Amino acid sequence: MILTDSLLDFFLETRKHTEDICTPLEIEDYVVQPIVDVSPPKWHLGHTTWFFEEFILKTHAKGYQIFDEDFSFVFNSYYETVGKRVVRSDRGNLSRPSVQKVYDYRHYVTSAMKELFSENQNQDLHDVLEIGIHHEKQHQELLLTDIKFILGNNPLLPTYSNDFQEHPIEKQHQEWISLEEGIYEIGHNSEDFCYDNELGRHKVYLHSYEISNKLVTNQEYIDFISAGGYKKFDLWHAEGWDWVLKNKIEAPLYWHDINGDWHYYSLKGLQKVELDAPITHISYFEAFAFAQWKGCRLPTEFEWEAAQRFFPWGKRWEWTESAYLPYPNYTKADGALGEYNGKFMVNQKVLRGGSVATPIKHTRSTYRNFFQTNLRWQFTGFRLAK
Amino acid sequence: MILTDSLLDFFLETRKHTEDICTPLEIEDYVVQPIVDVSPPKWHLGHTTWFFEEFILKTHAKGYQIFDEDFSFVFNSYYETVGKRVVRSDRGNLSRPSVQKVYDYRHYVTSAMKELFSENQNQDLHDVLEIGIHHEKQHQELLLTDIKFILGNNPLLPTYSNDFQEHPIEKQHQEWISLEEGIYEIGHNSEDFCYDNELGRHKVYLHSYEISNKLVTNQEYIDFISAGGYKKFDLWHAEGWDWVLKNKIEAPLYWHDINGDWHYYSLKGLQKVELDAPITHISYFEAFAFAQWKGCRLPTEFEWEAAQRFFPWGKRWEWTESAYLPYPNYTKADGALGEYNGKFMVNQKVLRGGSVATPIKHTRSTYRNFFQTNLRWQFTGFRLAK
Amino acid sequence: MILTDSLLDFFLETRKHTEDICTPLEIEDYVVQPIVDVSPPKWHLGHTTWFFEEFILKTHAKGYQIFDEDFSFVFNSYYETVGKRVVRSDRGNLSRPSVQKVYDYRHYVTSAMKELFSENQNQDLHDVLEIGIHHEKQHQELLLTDIKFILGNNPLLPTYSNDFQEHPIEKQHQEWISLEEGIYEIGHNSEDFCYDNELGRHKVYLHSYEISNKLVTNQEYIDFISAGGYKKFDLWHAEGWDWVLKNKIEAPLYWHDINGDWHYYSLKGLQKVELDAPITHISYFEAFAFAQWKGCRLPTEFEWEAAQRFFPWGKRWEWTESAYLPYPNYTKADGALGEYNGKFMVNQKVLRGGSVATPIKHTRSTYRNFFQTNLRWQFTGFRLAK
Amino acid sequence: MILTDSLLDFFLETRKHTEDICTPLEIEDYVVQPIVDVSPPKWHLGHTTWFFEEFILKTHAKGYQIFDEDFSFVFNSYYETVGKRVVRSDRGNLSRPSVQKVYDYRHYVTSAMKELFSENQNQDLHDVLEIGIHHEKQHQELLLTDIKFILGNNPLLPTYSNDFQEHPIEKQHQEWISLEEGIYEIGHNSEDFCYDNELGRHKVYLHSYEISNKLVTNQEYIDFISAGGYKKFDLWHAEGWDWVLKNKIEAPLYWHDINGDWHYYSLKGLQKVELDAPITHISYFEAFAFAQWKGCRLPTEFEWEAAQRFFPWGKRWEWTESAYLPYPNYTKADGALGEYNGKFMVNQKVLRGGSVATPIKHTRSTYRNFFQTNLRWQFTGFRLAK
């Protein structure tokens, strides 16, 4: 396969979209890191750029001049293969390079990539380029959720944009989709791009189960809160209960009880909770406790994948009961790209679906997202099974 | 089913065995708690006794006088249903009740139980009694490994007993047992006792695999160390690598490099590492890194259970790749006993088999042990799969 | 000066008194360390013994056989000169050496010292021997207050002894002793023993001041609590206020509010607070806040020393406003004994007087005790000045 | 005293100087907080402004409209009297209000103050206004040292300004100034402005002493390092030694060993250490250890004040041996302004002099600066006494 014009378009459109996400920001918003899980927006801008410089331009672009030797140190993330890096918790302590300098870096690298496209039609580049583009799309989602955290954590609760529709109203009747016991095929099954963790299509045996046609809504979650859900230890995992107590958790992230009315911070600013919208910004621990309370459970990722064509999805990343583990015959890629997925396959849960923050063309029915069980800053949600 | 004499024998023999384990101890050894995962021996003695008092005598023994009202507070563990409790990390701060008082408590409760047996043949008691006995057997294993930690952590490295054979020599040739792709049945399948987490026998689909006939040995593990296994980040999970760096891990727990020779603390005292003995006291992270280094992997718990009749096992708890999750149709028991297993089903790994510290009649091929991925004070080990 | 029989008597009486303090203990009480500031009683027994072995017997007793080479490691405290040591926070993790073994060690060393006395009348030994005895007396006070903490921290609140009178009733009328402005001489002024930090008698200029004839009582302190003393930030140092909030301090150490009545744990067990007894187990932060509330202040150590002959003292160590600093011309002794006092002369406050736990002959009007501003487990108290 | 034009000039010149300090900054530099002791520059700009709004305009300017109600919450510092505040460690997490908005706030308040001057000549305002100006001058020094930390902590080591002369060369011969034993008067002694902690001029008795004519230099400090000063525990306080070990301290803050040559980060960027310049960015612990090594000591603040007219000073804040304590008859002001000094009078050391970062008219011979013993980001230094 050679590098096609459509791949170039895909690349350029991706580069542009990242910058579009930042349009509403003040320069100050690019810099801060209120919690360790969040990265400063300028770091995302630099890191996604560094990926192309490090893995493509340095090795394949004849005569390429590195933009700044120090950036490799500043914008490397977890790629231990490639050298030293700023520890994650220090990203928000760096005022330099300036935002302008980071944009200069982006444009310099984007131009060099365009030039490389025009000169080098080497198909060897195809795979790493495709990963680079998808890597940047993945960061677009983090970029947006990190921006939300930066603004939503600020006592002034500034608005990001009045156009962003976080909360699709889903006034759906509750129905249960039944699937029969038997062997199902799981995993990626086409020529299109996917990550290594989806490969190795294989059989699993599922017992008969039912899965909800809809996501759990704010109204249902408020009922759980009102029924004392955060105060009944027997609904929770032991580790979840410790997390509730230690962090004094009483509601989803971004929720504020204002004179007895639930409000939440959205990218449009503070607003009243819409009862029919699907719940979001909850941890796995909370999803699990809710399911216990309902006498149901969360689906496994296999149950979700086998049933997904029977219900709409894509507005919330959906917590599953499955631990993030390798599929049979999973093999880690060599070198730095091998650090992409495999090394996180312990003590995390799989999420399926996609969210309002997921860029187009960046999810599919076999996509396996994963997070630690206490994290809430993504647009997470869940549906029930039984 | 009525309460039989053999159940009484089983009960009495179990009570006695717990005390036998403590025979070599000084009074001082009963008291300390060098790390939070370890409980003081006197706490084990009291807690296993409290279980019978709380769940059987209080409710079923007519006219039973509680031994000491405060003991419910002191010896409760994680049973939040039953009231307040001494937080786990404080157990080693309590010099009272004295060891003698705890033994008095044991004998008082054992006697009351014998009396109850002679008077009450109510079959309703059978299940909770059986759980109580198995609960105590489970604590016998912890008791012994906690004693090992208490002594092995002491700079004087005192001997527990010269008779305890920790390290069975297994000079076995490496062979690979092959299993065919297909549907296998997993889970408990008899009238005998088992825990709720083994119930719900169900089908899983396994792809063809090979599993080692033998446990990984000290010699093989020394080769891993010598090859720089603890220094190569790409063999480790990201979380495992952080654990290695933060805790400066360079060898299994209890190993000492004395002038270039590996020694380890065993219940017999310090001795040279026996090269043909199976490795033990390693974390899941270490087992995984070793497997990566060998180009193999750990078996899943299903692969282990399906293959277990083809190889000897029972000297080491064997780490598997499987996360500790509920089987299909798992349901938590009501009340305090429901806290037994279900609430730990997150962020832990399953271990299969049994160990030199496991009391007889306390393991079986479907038994699911579970620990966090960094823990090492149990007699853990592993075998490879591919 | 040669080693006299009276010094031998002083030595033997001191050795015996340490053991007498432990008479009411169970073996288990010797082992635990509920907070880092507290040492296990058996550690005190061993450490005071090790001092004589290390600084006298090893160097001066011909043919002396060290009792156990490992004990130097186990019972060394802060003497970095002398080699490695068990870190302070680990003392409670050691079940061995056993209590019996530690007593054997004590008796072995005491005997060897007696023998040394009979053979060696070298006056060079006089000074280090005297320090060793006073060192052990100092530990007697810590031993008793550590025992109190071990028992008082236990939910069973066991009694130490019904004979120990912690709380002398001082029904005294409040009077103010006035001292005139002028030059006062401060510091040790006799041939008797004192520590190096009291030496260098020197002049200080004091402005006229008044100092209370009596210690602040429980009744006065209860008034402070009732007036919201623990809730008014402006009474506290910034660091004290943080301490109150972080540790949720609402009363002195060992106080329990039982149905609206203040009780406290004493060595006699739990009892009602005696209103006329002097307050104890309060931190410097609390003493300071109380004084602010009263519109008074704490005296400096110089004011205390200049006035001490006008009021009774010796039941409570009294917090002063003075930081623990060297007197003019203070010089640190060479070697390990130089570590005794000088290296603590930063970020601590001076306490003057003595307490019900202070052994006889172990305090004097120039004695300078010192602790960090948050510590409460000693029998601390205070008097006001203005 | 009425509000004079010269006071207005002093006010306006001070307001302007704060902004001048920020001229070289990028917007990003205003936002970050790499350690908790450092505040973001925009916080200093806002906080010094809030002080005038809160304590003068709100109460004295008729018809004054508060700029933004939320700013009281954002820019309050430690004034617990005045209401809730952003906790110190969170200041660097706030991207909003933007830098531009903070400048708008400054100009709005400066204008309102000018107007107030022209209308209200009430002498009651004089004292709080004077404190407000000196408060802002104090923050100018912190602003500059915080900027230095923000830039010097960045791996890119950006230059602040090529004109800032941090390191005055003092090639002075070592001489010792002798002062005689006797009574000296200490404390503020004029009509000019001073803080409350300098008031209460009083007598102290000093024994004869010698004090160095010069500050300790880089060359002398390098000799200390070369002699193993950071490795000899007996030179350090126990708490200082723990600090060295825990933080792996091996040189002053901002020092880099580049191929065996000592360099340091200054506001001009990275440069070689100038051997004759006075050492700076060292903690009290380091100053004390150096003095021990030299067989000298640090002067007390009284010795310093009594001798200060015999030597040049003002380039380094000089650590003294004195704890920060109230002078005799010190009384805290009422209300929020009473929080200014008194509540820090525990566990800190006094520094005397002034530094290259101290604005003109902001120090004097009786000025008492104070910091915790481990802090290094100010332009600290020291001179020896004996």
Side-chain angles (χ1 to χ4, degrees), chain A residues 24-29 31-34 70-71 73-74 86 92-100 150-151 153-156 158-159, chain D residues 24-29 31-34 70-71 73-74 86 92-100 150-151 153-156 158-159:
Chain A
L25 300 188
E26 301 279 355
I27 289 180
E28 293 86 340
D29 301 326
V31 181
V32 301
Q33 180 182 34
D70 287 323
F71 281 20
F73 175 68
V74 172
V86 171
N93 294 332
L94 304 186
S95 58
R96 312 287 180 93
S98 69
V99 172
Q100 184 53 57
I150 287 165
L151 301 178
N153 177 61
N154 191 303
L156 308 180
T159 297
Chain D
L25 300 188
E26 302 278 356
I27 288 179
E28 294 87 339
D29 300 328
V31 181
V32 300
Q33 179 181 35
D70 288 322
F71 281 21
F73 175 68
V74 173
V86 170
N93 294 334
L94 304 187
S95 58
R96 312 288 179 94
S98 69
V99 172
Q100 185 53 54
I150 288 165
L151 301 177
N153 178 61
N154 191 303
L156 308 180
T159 296

Side-chain angles (χ1 to χ4, degrees), chain D residues 6 9 38 62 77 90 94 137 142 193 199 206 211 216 224 229 255 269 273 275 327 355 371:
Chain D
S6 75
D9 288 349
V38 162
K62 219 165 34 184
S77 60
D90 263 348
L94 304 187
K137 284 189 171 294
L142 292 169
F193 174 82
L199 289 173
L206 299 181
I211 190 166
V216 169
F224 167 73
W255 283 39
V273 163
L275 299 178
Y327 283 172
S355 90
F371 283 106

Side-chain angles (χ1 to χ4, degrees), chain D residues 203-371:
Chain D
K203 295 181 178 125
V204 300
Y205 194 95
L206 299 181
H207 288 255
S208 62
Y209 65 102
E210 295 182 85
I211 190 166
S212 174
N213 66 318
K214 61 180 268 299
L215 295 167
V216 169
T217 64
N218 287 331
Q219 175 65 65
E220 290 171 293
Y221 203 84
I222 288 173
D223 293 345
F224 167 73
I225 299 175
S226 304
Y230 283 104
K231 301 205 171 88
K232 294 181 173 164
F233 70 87
D234 57 324
L235 299 175
W236 298 79
H237 285 109
E239 192 180 329
W241 185 239
D242 287 346
W243 172 80
V244 164
L245 295 181
K246 187 176 166 193
N247 299 286
K248 302 194 179 71
I249 305 291
E250 299 180 330
L253 183 62
Y254 299 127
W255 283 39
H256 299 266
D257 181 342
I258 300 179
N259 304 324
D261 268 335
W262 284 115
H263 289 66
Y264 51 6
Y265 175 75
S266 80
L267 290 164
K268 290 180 181 175
L270 194 69
Q271 52 182 233
K272 282 190 83 162
V273 163
E274 294 135 340
L275 299 178
D276 291 330
I279 183 76
T280 191
H281 296 301
I282 42 86
S283 68
Y284 164 79
F285 290 132
E286 290 163 295
F288 176 88
F290 180 95
Q292 286 285 107
W293 176 68
K294 274 289 194 191
C296 297
R297 60 180 179 81
L298 301 179
T300 66
E301 64 167 321
F302 310 115
E303 289 171 337
W304 190 96
E305 186 171 326
Q308 54 80 27
R309 64 202 162 94
F310 302 121
F311 52 74
W313 54 268
K315 300 302 187 191
R316 299 285 182 262
W317 284 106
E318 305 183 27
W319 287 109
T320 73
E321 181 58 22
S322 296
Y324 181 45
L325 295 173
Y327 283 172
N329 303 317
Y330 171 74
T331 43
K332 233 170 67 167
D334 285 337
L337 293 178
E339 296 189 46
Y340 208 94
N341 274 309
K343 73 178 185 182
F344 299 112
M345 290 179 174
V346 67
N347 297 333
Q348 307 211 28
K349 286 286 187 183
V350 174
L351 301 99
R352 290 301 195 99
S355 90
V356 290
T358 314
I360 45 167
K361 301 192 209 164
H362 190 64
T363 191
R364 54 202 158 266
S365 61
T366 60
Y367 194 104
R368 306 174 78 200
N369 202 353
F370 49 91
F371 283 106

Side-chain angles (χ1 to χ4, degrees), chain B residues 24 26-29 31-34 70 73-74 86 92-100 150-151 153-156 158, chain C residues 24 26-29 31-34 70 73-74 86 92-100 150-151 153-156 158:
Chain B
E26 301 279 356
I27 288 179
E28 295 85 340
D29 301 326
V31 182
V32 301
Q33 180 181 34
D70 287 323
F73 175 68
V74 173
V86 171
N93 295 333
L94 305 186
S95 58
R96 312 287 180 95
S98 69
V99 172
Q100 184 54 54
I150 287 165
L151 301 177
N153 178 61
N154 191 302
L156 308 180
Chain C
E26 301 278 356
I27 288 179
E28 295 86 340
D29 301 326
V31 181
V32 300
Q33 179 181 36
D70 287 323
F73 174 69
V74 173
V86 170
N93 295 333
L94 304 186
S95 59
R96 313 287 180 93
S98 70
V99 172
Q100 185 53 55
I150 286 164
L151 301 177
N153 177 62
N154 192 303
L156 308 179

Side-chain angles (χ1 to χ4, degrees), chain D residues 22 60 114 238 293:
Chain D
C22 296
H60 292 79
K114 275 172 78 170
W293 176 68

Side-chain angles (χ1 to χ4, degrees), chain A residues 63-247:
Chain A
Y64 175 75
Q65 295 288 320
I66 288 173
F67 181 77
D68 186 320
E69 289 289 351
D70 287 323
F71 281 20
S72 164
F73 175 68
V74 172
F75 291 125
N76 187 354
S77 61
Y78 47 81
Y79 299 93
E80 311 237 10
T81 312
V82 185
K84 291 170 80 177
R85 57 195 167 93
V86 171
V87 292
R88 187 180 182 118
S89 57
D90 264 347
R91 289 178 191 162
N93 294 332
L94 304 186
S95 58
R96 312 287 180 93
S98 69
V99 172
Q100 184 53 57
K101 194 83 178 285
V102 175
Y103 273 109
D104 292 348
Y105 178 41
R106 281 190 73 82
H107 302 151
Y108 178 86
V109 163
T110 302
S111 294
M113 288 290 294
K114 275 171 79 170
E115 209 171 312
L116 180 68
F117 260 92
S118 68
E119 291 170 2
N120 183 335
Q121 294 297 324
N122 189 336
Q123 72 165 47
D124 289 357
L125 279 183
H126 181 274
D127 285 5
V128 62
L129 178 54
E130 204 175 41
I131 285 191
I133 295 169
H134 284 276
H135 171 259
E136 182 148 350
K137 283 188 172 295
Q138 220 168 1
H139 275 276
Q140 286 167 2
E141 176 151 0
L142 293 169
L143 176 57
L144 190 61
T145 49
D146 288 359
I147 289 169
K148 179 168 180 182
F149 196 92
I150 287 165
L151 301 178
N153 177 61
N154 191 303
L156 308 180
L157 295 176
T159 297
Y160 167 76
S161 158
N162 283 313
D163 298 331
F164 195 93
Q165 183 62 27
E166 271 188 21
H167 299 298
I169 305 303
E170 283 201 5
K171 185 126 197 176
Q172 279 180 278
H173 209 68
Q174 173 72 65
E175 280 164 30
W176 294 96
I177 300 156
S178 296
L179 279 93
E180 287 191 9
E181 178 170 351
I183 295 172
Y184 291 79
E185 299 252 336
I186 296 295
H188 194 67
N189 188 26
S190 83
E191 292 299 302
D192 296 343
F193 175 82
C194 75
Y195 286 115
D196 60 358
N197 61 4
E198 302 163 58
L199 289 173
R201 189 163 169 88
H202 64 286
K203 297 182 178 125
V204 299
Y205 194 94
L206 299 181
H207 288 254
S208 63
Y209 65 102
E210 294 181 85
I211 191 165
S212 174
N213 67 319
K214 61 181 266 300
L215 294 168
V216 169
T217 65
N218 287 331
Q219 177 64 67
E220 291 170 293
Y221 203 83
I222 288 172
D223 293 344
F224 167 74
I225 299 175
S226 304
Y230 283 103
K231 302 205 171 87
K232 295 182 172 160
F233 70 87
D234 56 322
L235 299 175
W236 299 78
H237 286 108
E239 192 180 329
W241 186 239
D242 288 345
W243 172 80
V244 165
L245 294 182
K246 188 175 166 193
N247 299 285

